[in-house]
Amino acid sequence: MTAPAPSEKVNLLDLDRAGMEAFFESIGEKRWRAHQVMKWIYHRLVDDFAAMTDLGKALRATLEARAEIREPEIGVSQRSADGTEKWVLKLAGGNAIETVYIPEPTRGTLCVSSQVGCGLNCRFCSTATQGFNRNLSTAEIIGQVRVAAKALGNVTHQVRRITNVVMMGMGEPLLNFDHVVRAMSLMRDDLGFGLANKRVTLSTAGLVPQIDALSAAADVSLAVSLHAPNDELRDRLVPLNRKYPIADLLAACQRYQAARPRSSITFEYTLMRGVNDQPEHARQLIKLLRRVPSKLNLIPFNPFPGTEFERSGEAEIRAFQKIILDAGLLATVRRTRGDDIDAACGQLVGKVLDRTRRSREFKARVGEKLDAA
Ligand code: SAH
């Protein structure tokens, strides 16, 4: 017996608006049909072509034969005591990724993954311990938003809406550039999820050429994972720094701001006891922050099994913040959410198969010496 042929249907979740229009033209339909179907997919969250009642029967049959709407399936859902929700999503082939929803009084933020695992090897992130397996497809990225929107819609006793999306889950989004850009366009498209540009944030460990490419490709908010105020320390915490040191990274941020004057930049800084949380570090950081108008987001370190690091004490965190604020700069402390279900920053692991080989391939591909520490 031969194995069944893989589905040759087009997964419509892989297509942005232009791709949808091209697909509908390819089956002899007008472009506005693509728009109608996008509304069914992203506004009404319908999966079944038969339920798309404003399409003719013949078109519905064509779609049934040629296309599909396929997203990751929920493996496990967990709800934290603080209302944070985490879904472990199953991917074809046995891998799994994690998506997290964080409700706050005035907004609901969805934290979306971009890769299965991650190859960047940041010392303080549990995703790094999983190694890298592969990039997610557009459908797997936008599918996370759709799965969450459906799941949250089922919760009737509370208003739970997705008002913001942050590409801050598993993976380095700028190393999965095309799929991430396409998925972010569906998040912002009126025929997609219709979020304002500034409510979609891409977080990066600092890939300089791709930050430049992003400024040309999308108008979104940028978050940059800084975590250290000098190259010596950052080389250790974020090995990517050996390739793109702080000065180069800040210059890329300045170019991003020049190209996208309306989009904001946030620097993320995870505070680890005795490592990067001393007053001297804060003072060094001020000099860097003065070069790029931005906000500093201080993240108390979230521990995970096997880590060598500890969270800074509350007094150290406040003292660090005060030094920054006293210099007239913006600094907030991110409240830890969902850590009782391992849903907090840096705690997402999913399930990453076959990671060693893929990690090696990945490192060869990006030409990094990320293991060298
Ligand atoms: N690769 C991207 C996005 C994923 S990380 C990036 O590096 O930005 C999302 C954020 O969580 C980053 O700022 C990351 O540095 C932070 N983070 C990772 N591990 C953490 C931990 N253990 N505790 C707190 N924050 C962590």
Side-chain angles (χ1 to χ4, degrees):
M1 285 260 294
T2 50
S7 163
E8 278 160 24
K9 291 183 177 182
V10 174
N11 187 356
L12 297 186
L13 300 184
D14 276 319
L15 307 178
D16 58 10
R17 188 196 285 226
M20 285 288 283
E21 289 172 354
F23 172 75
F24 277 79
E25 276 172 8
S26 79
I27 58 170
E29 293 287 337
K30 294 271 186 289
R31 289 150 62 114
W32 57 268
R33 286 288 184 201
H35 302 172
Q36 250 179 323
V37 172
M38 284 182 79
K39 286 184 193 162
W40 283 108
I41 294 177
Y42 297 107
H43 296 177
R44 303 186 193 120
L45 305 175
V46 163
D47 292 321
D48 188 359
F49 295 119
M52 301 184 181
T53 46
D54 55 2
L55 308 180
K57 270 214 170 111
L59 175 55
R60 280 188 259 166
T62 307
L63 289 174
E64 208 75 67
R66 303 277 295 273
E68 61 183 355
I69 299 168
R70 191 156 43 84
E71 62 201 7
E73 263 173 54
I74 295 180
V76 183
S77 327
Q78 277 174 290
R79 169 83 75 100
S80 158
D82 67 20
T84 298
E85 203 140 342
K86 179 173 93 172
W87 298 278
V88 179
L89 302 181
K90 295 191 286 186
L91 306 179
N95 285 307
I97 48 165
E98 300 189 347
T99 306
V100 176
Y101 177 72
I102 306 134
E104 287 172 290
T106 56
R107 62 181 177 186
T109 303
L110 192 71
C111 181
V112 166
S113 295
S114 57
Q115 298 181 315
V116 181
C118 187
L120 289 185
N121 221 5
C122 297
R123 283 287 173 269
F124 51 89
C125 179
S126 70
T127 305
T129 64
Q130 300 286 296
F132 172 77
N133 181 284
R134 69 168 172 85
N135 281 332
L136 297 182
S137 65
T138 304
E140 288 166 336
I141 300 169
I142 199 67
Q144 294 172 63
V145 186
R146 213 166 165 266
V147 166
K150 283 186 203 165
L152 294 167
N154 291 338
V155 181
T156 50
H157 59 277
Q158 224 175 333
V159 180
R160 289 165 76 80
R161 270 193 324 131
I162 298 167
T163 62
N164 295 62
V165 173
V166 292
M167 297 298 310
M168 278 185 202
M170 296 167 65
E172 168 50 52
L174 289 183
L175 287 176
N176 185 12
F177 193 87
D178 293 345
H179 292 298
V180 165
V181 165
R182 205 176 299 145
M184 291 194 308
S185 118
L186 287 164
M187 293 169 198
R188 286 141 56 229
D189 195 318
D190 287 343
L191 296 171
F193 288 105
L195 299 178
N197 287 345
K198 63 175 186 192
R199 290 181 178 274
V200 174
T201 301
L202 182 145
S203 180
T204 178
L207 285 124
V208 164
Q210 286 87 342
I211 291 174
D212 288 329
L214 183 70
S215 71
D219 194 356
V220 294
S221 297
L222 187 64
V224 175
S225 292
L226 194 56
H227 308 303
N230 60 65
D231 283 323
E232 194 199 344
L233 183 55
R234 194 162 190 269
D235 279 352
R236 275 198 286 135
L237 297 176
V238 183
L240 183 67
N241 195 67
R242 293 173 215 153
K243 184 154 188 180
Y244 303 116
I246 292 174
D248 295 2
L249 178 56
L250 294 186
C253 292
Q254 288 168 338
R255 291 193 295 276
Y256 191 84
Q257 278 179 330
R260 296 287 181 190
R262 282 180 313 151
S263 54
S264 66
I265 295 193
T266 304
F267 288 105
E268 295 160 280
Y269 194 104
T270 300
L271 285 164
M272 290 164 263
R273 184 192 292 272
V275 174
N276 63 354
D277 65 348
Q278 299 300 299
E280 177 54 23
H281 296 123
R283 284 191 287 270
Q284 290 176 19
L285 194 53
I286 288 168
K287 297 208 180 91
L288 303 183
L289 296 175
R290 290 218 192 280
R291 283 152 58 180
V292 182
S294 57
K295 194 184 92 177
L296 179 68
N297 201 343
L298 297 168
I299 314 171
F301 173 71
N302 293 310
F304 54 89
T307 181
E308 69 202 272
F309 299 113
E310 285 172 45
R311 178 177 298 184
S312 303
E314 195 57 36
E316 281 76 20
I317 294 173
R318 291 295 158 201
F320 197 98
Q321 183 187 27
K322 185 166 186 307
I323 294 172
I324 306 287
L325 292 175
D326 287 350
L329 299 165
L330 289 171
T332 52
V333 178
R334 187 184 292 173
R335 231 164 30 90
T336 298
R337 299 291 302 269
D339 55 344
D340 55 338
I341 55 168
D342 287 341
C345 300
Q347 292 184 322
L348 304 186
V349 292
K351 180 176 169 202
V352 181
L353 300 174
D354 195 16
R355 60 196 199 217
T356 321
R357 182 173 61 81
R358 293 308 196 99
S359 273
R360 231 185 292 125
E361 280 171 13
F362 170 84
K363 278 169 194 148
R365 200 150 46 82
V366 294
E368 299 288 353
K369 287 180 266 153
L370 299 177
D371 266 350

